[in-house]
Amino acid sequence: MYLGPILLTFVVGATLIALYFIPHHQAQEINSELLLWATIVYAFALILGSVSLWSVHAQRIRQRISGWPFSLVTLFALLGTTFMGVAWGIGEESPLGRFYSMVNSPLASTMFALLAFFIASAAFRAFRARNVEATLLLVTAIVMMIGRVSVGEFIWRGFPGLTEWLLDVPNLAAKRAIAIGVGLGAVSTALKIILGIERGYLGRTR
Amino acid sequence: MSPVETWIAAFLTLCVFSFLYRDNPFYRFAEHLFVGSAAGYLLAVQYQNVILPNVVLPITTGKPTPQTIVLTLIPLMLGLLMVARVSPRFTGPARWAIAFYVGIYSGIAVPGYMQAQIYAQLSDAVKPFAPGWGAVNSALVLIGLLTVLAYFFFSAPHQGLHGVSARVGIWFLMVAFGASFGYTVMARVSLLISRVQFLLRDWLHLIPMS
């Protein structure tokens, strides 16, 4: 039942909690060292992810699955960017930096810009003032959208102030309550993991 | 960007926008290129910022002390165990690395979330009200917080006073969701404007440079 890894999680988790309450500099140094180790393990986890991406696309190419030439693009891009970054660094003027501003940056921002159309079309189909709650959602969204552009102020001078009030008062109240709920959920899940009650992260038990 | 780079960026931008018509080979090319290059970029950044200075350099440069070697080898071993997960034969050893990583972040989460999410939000909510109209807003925020929390409290049925509070809480939640939705739409629209601006100004030179 994976007693060893569960024990390791308990020891590491309990140590981190204890170190938080010990202001001694040596305790803080141990804390920093453990966090650095976690950062290193995270970096290796990204290598694992890339190897996994590689094997998925290599298999698609080997088996000539429909659309396999696109997998070649992914593999070349993965290999090329990794090589550029490892060999020549990641500075803004490095080959990878220039590649990033030429390829990644436009692709990422255009992908997100594309969502503007889909959000608008989804909203047009889904937004119906069926009851009080739906009407509140609809009206607030419209006010926010009009109030955040200059034409909103042209229509009614109070729009920008109203949007600020919506963000600062009712939105803040709900977000604050959600943050408290999320915090309580995260703390209880973390405690369940440390105490070995939650073991799903270790995979299936045989 | 040089003219060639601008043309490549413009071509990729148009490839992604072509999806508005329907799924097509140009979009799929851009999509696959993005996945590969984003993964590679992330890997390169992690190598240069984490692995090189904390794993490679400490044991390859100068005269490493036994303490340095031990402190470098432990995370290196854990990292290699993580990568060993690639092979089904090493699933068991890889669990040690996963257990370590999950343990670290669970340990951070307990005091971290208590401090940053729960105590900080509660202390801000019960601060003395500001004078004038500020007091009305502060009272509304407090009422909103309590009613939304009442809605999320499922240990008792939503009836009577609790039911009324939960209903008011839903109204606050709907306003917040509407505000978030509107805000997200406008953020996406501003991204869209910047892409169109790039195409018309930087690529086609149809509008003057600011």
Side-chain angles (χ1 to χ4, degrees), chain B:
Chain B
M1 275 201 276
S2 69
V4 176
E5 288 172 343
T6 306
W7 271 81
I8 292 171
F11 171 70
L12 293 173
T13 302
L14 291 174
C15 281
V16 176
F17 277 139
S18 71
F19 189 71
L20 287 171
Y21 172 57
R22 66 178 192 193
D23 197 8
N24 64 76
F26 289 105
Y27 175 75
R28 295 192 71 191
F29 167 77
E31 187 187 33
H32 281 74
L33 178 67
F34 184 44
V35 170
S37 60
Y41 182 79
L42 212 58
L43 204 59
V45 168
Q46 289 298 319
Y47 174 78
Q48 292 290 352
N49 290 347
V50 180
I51 296 176
L52 188 65
N54 298 306
V55 179
V56 180
L57 293 181
I59 47 177
T60 54
T61 52
K63 285 183 183 167
T65 59
Q67 190 193 357
T68 313
I69 293 173
V70 170
L71 289 179
T72 310
L73 284 183
I74 294 172
L76 177 62
M77 282 306 298
L78 287 167
L80 291 175
L81 285 176
M82 182 69 95
V83 178
R85 179 72 181 79
V86 161
S87 165
R89 281 195 302 154
F90 293 104
T91 305
R95 285 199 181 97
W96 288 87
I98 296 168
F100 172 80
Y101 189 75
V102 171
I104 288 275
Y105 281 98
S106 300
I108 294 172
V110 174
Y113 272 98
M114 289 293 272
Q115 185 76 38
Q117 295 277 88
I118 302 168
Y119 295 148
Q121 297 294 340
L122 282 175
S123 77
D124 273 354
V126 295
K127 267 182 184 166
F129 290 177
W133 277 107
V136 177
N137 285 337
S138 301
L140 272 173
V141 171
L142 185 59
I143 291 166
L145 172 71
L146 294 174
T147 53
V148 175
L149 284 176
Y151 170 70
F152 284 132
F153 188 71
F154 295 108
S155 299
H158 288 181
Q159 289 168 349
L161 183 64
H162 185 200
V164 173
S165 303
R167 187 150 178 83
V168 176
I170 294 173
W171 294 343
F172 271 93
L173 278 171
M174 286 300 132
V175 171
F177 292 151
S180 296
F181 179 84
Y183 201 80
T184 309
V185 169
M186 295 322 289
R188 298 287 178 264
V189 168
S190 67
L191 268 176
L192 178 66
I193 290 168
S194 84
R195 291 322 298 161
V196 173
Q197 216 169 25
F198 166 76
L199 289 175
L200 296 182
R201 189 184 59 196
D202 299 14
W203 181 46
L204 296 174
H205 305 291
L206 291 179
I207 51 176
M209 295 275 186
S210 53

